[in-house]
Amino acid sequence: MASVVLSEAEKLYIVHGVQEDLRVDGRGCEDYRCAEVETDVVSNTSGSARVKLGHTDILVGVKAEMGTPKLEKPDEGYLEFFVDCSANATPEFEGRGGEELGTEIANTLYRVFSSESCIDLKSLCINPRDHCWVLYVDVLLLECGGNLFDAISLAVKAALFNTRIPKVRVLEVEEGSKEIELSDDPYDCIRLNVDEVPCIVTLSKIGYRHVVDATLQEEACSLASLLISVTSKGALTCMKKVGKGSLDPESIFEMMETGKRVGKSLHTSLQKVLDEEESLGATRQKVGFLG
Amino acid sequence: MAAMDMRLPVARKAVTESAGGEKHLVAPGDIITTDTGYMRGHGTYVEDEKLVASVAGVVERVNKLVYVKALNTRYNGEVGDIVVGRVTEVQQKRWKVETNSRLDSVLLLSSMNLPGGELRRRSAEDELAMRDYLQEGDLISAEVQSVFSDGAVSLHTRSLKYGKLGQGVLVQVSPSLVKRQKTHFHDLPCGASVILGNNGFIWIYPTPEQKDEEAGGFTTNLEPVPLSDREVISRLRNCIVALVTQKSMLFDTSILYCYEASLPHQIKDVLKPEVMEEIVLETRQRLLDLEG
């Protein structure tokens, strides 16, 4: 993970500040930084989204391709995640430096999306045992400013919301074989229901309290963090502890409660922005990367 | 329970022309002038009898000298500048300090004040005890003593006002935004002090009650900073970030005016784009009124 070096006195200042619920940029322990979300930024994908959370910049692209269903789940499609920590984010990611972090983030995303209720995978099936839609979700880290997991999960949810999968029809040809026909109208497509897709909330333990949305400086002061994935209704689907420090069970319980509360407000804000963007429709002025 | 502020991105507005007249902006490779009567300065080179810019910036003219002042560069050391730096390495008789320049700056052991203000030749024990004075990651304030031929800067802390920095907040900005002034150490009336390093490192810290004479900046005060001071420091930090985002020059008056303009808002709201624009506009207006 990209990290900054801080002097002992700076770390002490940050820790004392967190104890008094006043962080360096004036936020409270449960406040997020101002975020910018935009979807449909990459034209040759089925869906894409870009999230800027402070100095953290994430770009997610979703491509829907036809594939064969997995043997143990013949009537469902599936998602494949790939995370690329580009050297743009920090020089530490040059060459193969970002691979370890990329695989860690991808494995976390697999775990988060492994629960059955988050995405209706049965709607991705075209022909049981023969054809299904595979959604390749590619995450690109453009800038690393702390709190990667939260920003990535927000971007993945926004990109899945934006994904448009073309409608296909299965035709029975003679000799029993099936043919797949793509509909002629390019705007005729199915959308995914992302109401149950969870978002990850990272809670970093600093001193005796925990903070949400830590910056790089605050991450340098935190020895242990808890990653929890929360659905829009406040249900916790999975949990992971990172960091070399230890957490005692009472603080884990407190952090879970905070995470559930913060997660619910995260979902409502994201849904509001996505609905606002949708309502602007074709008149929306695309900002993209050169705005 | 605070709601999260999420919004759609807005295209950046072009910065309006300030009351300084037309600025001649150039990119590397742009021809500045074909007149050969000028003396060429930094950021330019001559090609086919034409004066061409080598950096992206603003063309400045002083009598017969033409130079390009780059907008976003690494720090180029000048003798006498005040810098704030972070120690990256502890070597045999010196420390390597990062100051946002092309090469790491050097702080020689002989350029550092000994605790107690002793004046003697540095011995082998001093060399072994270097890590007790400054470790990797420590922040120091220092003055540029000289510049080596390759551009590396040699620092010194031979005054009681320089030395290791204690508790506070560091903001990193572009060196071109820090205005050159008589003094870079300011005790702002709002309740905090600020060091405006010429290299773009701005250090905001709580004003010490009494000036410690004998410490010389080696003992750090590790007591918790009171909440009222913290609020002032956080607000100043956000104001500086706002000024930098709007590409305003940083000096004590502009920071103070920006602080006063931000008082009606909550500290964390100062970082919202629309609030930043509003307070920087007010600051610019007050500065113009001050001049005119």
Side-chain angles (χ1 to χ4, degrees):
Chain A
M1 188 85 79
S3 53
V4 285
V5 187
L6 290 180
S7 69
E8 291 303 318
E10 277 176 283
K11 285 190 195 164
L12 198 68
Y13 183 83
I14 293 177
V15 170
H16 285 156
V18 169
Q19 310 289 101
E20 306 198 18
D21 200 23
L22 182 69
R23 288 150 85 173
V24 164
D25 48 6
R27 289 184 286 156
C29 293
E30 297 187 10
D31 290 329
Y32 267 84
R33 288 170 283 187
C34 193
E36 276 182 9
V37 177
E38 198 187 358
T39 62
D40 207 22
V41 279
V42 185
S43 49
N44 59 344
T45 52
S46 312
S48 59
R50 182 178 180 208
V51 168
K52 275 214 283 204
L53 186 66
H55 281 295
T56 306
D57 203 340
I58 313 283
L59 177 66
V60 172
V62 179
K63 281 188 134 117
E65 309 217 348
M66 281 221 266
T68 351
K70 293 191 174 150
L71 286 172
E72 60 271 12
K73 302 236 168 89
D75 55 348
E76 283 179 3
Y78 56 97
L79 276 82
E80 291 276 352
F81 293 98
F82 175 69
V83 178
D84 180 17
C85 299
S86 82
N88 274 335
T90 158
E92 289 165 23
F93 293 160
E94 197 191 357
R96 297 187 66 174
E99 249 180 64
E100 203 188 300
L101 179 64
T103 35
E104 190 194 332
I105 300 177
N107 288 341
T108 314
L109 286 171
Y110 274 120
R111 263 184 75 183
V112 166
F113 280 82
S114 63
S115 80
E116 303 205 324
S117 54
C118 54
I119 277 221
D120 184 15
L121 295 171
K122 291 202 182 356
S123 65
L124 296 176
C125 178
I126 306 167
N127 261 340
R129 282 185 300 276
D130 280 328
H131 300 105
C132 72
W133 284 113
V134 182
L135 295 178
Y136 290 99
V137 181
D138 297 310
V139 178
L140 179 61
L141 234 73
L142 293 169
E143 210 185 329
C144 202
N147 201 18
L148 290 176
F149 287 93
D150 296 28
I152 289 176
S153 70
L154 285 172
V156 168
K157 182 168 181 181
L160 288 171
F161 178 81
N162 178 244
T163 306
R164 278 150 174 76
I165 303 175
K167 272 206 183 110
V168 289
R169 278 189 320 157
V170 181
L171 302 167
E172 285 274 352
V173 183
E174 67 275 355
E175 295 145 24
S177 66
K178 298 190 176 108
E179 211 182 72
I180 298 184
E181 188 192 302
L182 207 61
S183 113
D184 285 332
D185 181 4
Y187 292 107
D188 190 17
C189 44
I190 53 172
R191 302 279 298 271
L192 293 169
N193 181 1
V194 293
D195 289 339
E196 295 296 318
V197 169
C199 271
I200 300 178
V201 177
T202 310
L203 298 126
S204 311
K205 189 147 177 43
I206 299 179
Y208 295 113
R209 295 187 66 159
H210 49 272
V211 297
V212 161
D213 192 19
T215 58
L216 280 176
Q217 285 82 10
E218 288 164 347
E219 281 182 357
C221 302
S222 144
L223 288 171
S225 304
L226 198 67
L227 266 77
I228 61 171
S229 77
V230 189
T231 62
S232 51
K233 295 190 185 56
L236 220 133
T237 58
C238 96
M239 200 159 86
K240 181 176 167 185
K241 182 210 161 280
V242 291
K244 51 188 185 211
S246 59
L247 290 171
D248 67 271
E250 268 193 36
S251 20
I252 293 185
F253 184 71
E254 276 173 24
M255 286 155 102
M256 271 165 53
E257 293 301 308
T258 312
K260 283 196 264 187
R261 244 190 330 214
V262 172
K264 275 209 292 209
S265 82
L266 204 65
H267 279 282
T268 30
S269 311
L270 182 66
Q271 199 55 52
K272 203 167 66 115
V273 169
L274 291 175
D275 291 337
E276 187 189 324
E277 208 185 22
E278 184 95 7
S279 65
L280 287 173
T283 58
R284 173 167 74 94
Q285 190 197 23
K286 292 203 180 176
V287 174
F289 291 90
L290 299 175
Chain B
M1 212 275 294
M4 193 180 154
D5 180 20
M6 251 193 262
R7 54 183 67 197
L8 293 170
V10 181
R12 272 188 306 195
K13 288 197 285 266
V15 178
T16 49
E17 291 287 332
S18 56
E22 287 286 312
K23 282 198 187 12
H24 185 191
L25 292 170
V26 287
D30 283 355
I31 300 169
I32 302 172
T33 177
T34 44
D35 192 347
T36 48
Y38 287 107
M39 227 176 12
R40 62 168 204 86
H42 287 304
T44 63
Y45 64 96
V46 178
E47 189 190 38
D48 295 338
E49 293 186 14
K50 289 189 289 248
L51 205 60
V52 187
S54 63
V55 292
V58 178
V59 176
E60 309 252 333
R61 224 162 285 218
V62 177
N63 298 333
K64 279 273 183 195
L65 178 71
V66 174
Y67 63 99
V68 182
K69 190 166 120 124
L71 294 170
N72 190 9
T73 52
R74 291 255 167 194
Y75 169 61
N76 289 319
E78 311 269 336
V79 177
D81 278 355
I82 313 282
V83 291
V84 171
R86 201 183 279 283
V87 174
T88 53
E89 278 178 55
V90 182
Q91 292 185 347
Q92 286 220 303
K93 276 207 186 74
R94 58 198 191 167
W95 290 273
K96 284 281 183 169
V97 179
E98 194 235 317
T99 51
N100 195 21
S101 22
R102 288 188 197 93
L103 292 166
D104 272 345
S105 307
V106 159
L107 175 64
L108 297 171
L109 178 59
S110 48
S111 309
M112 161 82 88
N113 266 348
L114 287 169
E118 292 173 67
L119 290 174
R120 58 174 171 76
R121 203 185 159 105
R122 307 291 187 272
S123 61
E125 281 93 41
D126 289 318
E127 208 179 314
L128 293 169
M130 274 176 79
R131 193 152 267 156
D132 294 337
Y133 302 148
L134 289 178
Q135 281 198 323
E136 285 91 343
D138 281 344
L139 279 172
I140 55 162
S141 66
E143 195 182 309
V144 175
Q145 187 173 45
S146 59
V147 180
F148 294 118
S149 50
D150 55 3
V153 156
S154 177
L155 304 170
H156 77 87
T157 56
R158 279 192 164 284
S159 169
L160 289 174
K161 58 181 181 179
Y162 305 128
K164 189 156 87 169
L165 298 171
Q167 292 193 55
V169 175
L170 183 74
V171 185
Q172 291 177 322
V173 310
S174 167
S176 54
L177 289 173
V178 179
K179 192 169 173 181
R180 276 184 192 278
Q181 291 184 284
K182 272 216 194 81
T183 168
H184 288 257
F185 291 79
H186 303 286
D187 282 337
L188 298 173
C190 44
S193 302
V194 79
I195 304 180
L196 295 165
N198 285 94
N199 61 334
F201 282 17
I202 316 269
W203 178 248
I204 315 168
Y205 60 108
T207 315
E209 282 92 47
Q210 82 285 30
K211 302 284 169 194
D212 351 339
E213 301 85 15
E214 71 312 320
F218 280 109
T219 54
T220 352
N221 184 10
L222 295 174
E223 279 176 28
V225 175
L227 188 63
S228 50
D229 286 348
R230 277 181 193 279
E231 288 179 351
V232 174
I233 292 177
S234 294
R235 196 178 277 280
L236 275 173
R237 183 236 176 232
N238 286 353
C239 288
I240 291 178
V241 170
L243 285 167
V244 166
T245 322
Q246 302 290 321
K247 302 281 187 284
S248 259
M249 289 295 278
L250 287 172
F251 50 104
D252 54 346
T253 324
S254 72
I255 297 176
L256 194 60
Y257 284 174
C258 195
Y259 178 86
E260 288 167 7
S262 76
L263 283 172
H265 304 275
Q266 276 203 328
I267 306 176
K268 58 186 177 200
D269 290 338
V270 175
L271 291 175
K272 289 192 182 149
E274 62 274 4
V275 178
M276 273 203 277
E277 271 180 47
E278 185 197 318
I279 57 176
V280 174
L281 204 64
E282 200 184 310
T283 311
R284 284 206 179 120
Q285 195 55 50
R286 271 184 80 179
L287 288 169
L288 279 176
D289 293 339
L290 189 70
E291 275 172 43

